[in-house]
Every structure is written in C-alpha cells, then in structure tokens.
Amino acid sequence: MRKLAEASGKSPQLFQDSAYSQINYNILSTSTLSSNGLEIGGFGPVVPDGLGVGYSIFDDWLGCNVTCYPEHASAAEFVESFGKTMEDLRTVLDGKNFK
C-alpha cells in the first residue's frame, strides 16, 4: 500500500507515523523450511542488526540455520540460546523436574 501510494505521488499520514517505522523494523526474520524436498535452507536478515532464521521441524528432528551481519549481531549467541531452549523443552516434555 505504501509503494502504491508513493507511486501515485501520495504520502498518507499512516506511513509517516513512528509506530509504522517501528513495526516494520524486523530484527528477527523467520521462515519454516519443513519439506521432504529440503534438508536445510536459509536466508539473510532483513535489517542490519537482525537475524535470519530458517527452521525445519520433522517428526524425529528439528533444526535451524541462522544468518546475520557479524558486525551488528551474533548468530552464535542465538544458536546457543536456541540449543538451551530446546534442551529445556525436552526436559519439560519428558516430564522431568525443570528448574
């Protein structure tokens, strides 16, 4: 809609609002890549300090591929946190004491 408005020489107030800018700055951009035709895939972040996360979920495994611009974000930190979260979820799903 914004592009159509700009193409016609219009600039509706909605697109000038700071909330519009904030909601369109996506630090975490994700997409599921679960398909029998794909084993892994990925894409880049959509903002300089963001992460691009392509993930797959199957019956017997799940995983993700994380990309970033290293000077602005850390894919390694995200992957470490993701791994810990998966371990915590496994503990809960196995009915073990979670702390």
Side-chain angles (χ1 to χ4, degrees):
M1 288 175 42
R2 181 177 56 89
K3 291 293 186 184
L4 288 172
E6 288 172 356
S8 67
K10 298 176 183 173
S11 184
Q13 190 174 1
L14 166 70
F15 303 125
Q16 308 308 313
D17 192 293
S18 64
Y20 179 81
S21 296
Q22 291 175 350
I23 200 165
N24 283 290
Y25 196 89
N26 297 297
I27 294 172
L28 185 61
S29 178
T30 68
S31 184
T32 182
L33 300 168
S34 298
S35 165
N36 291 333
L38 291 172
E39 188 165 315
I40 190 89
F43 52 93
V46 297
V47 295
D49 57 339
L51 298 166
V53 182
Y55 63 93
S56 299
I57 301 172
F58 294 96
D59 290 342
D60 57 346
W61 71 275
L62 63 86
C64 66
N65 184 27
V66 182
T67 60
C68 72
Y69 298 106
E71 62 274 12
H72 299 292
S74 175
E77 284 181 31
F78 180 88
V79 169
E80 183 179 338
S81 294
F82 178 79
K84 176 69 173 114
T85 299
M86 292 300 101
E87 290 172 10
D88 290 347
L89 285 172
R90 185 52 166 195
T91 298
V92 169
L93 292 173
D94 286 344
K96 298 178 181 169
N97 188 16
F98 176 73
K99 293 184 181 179

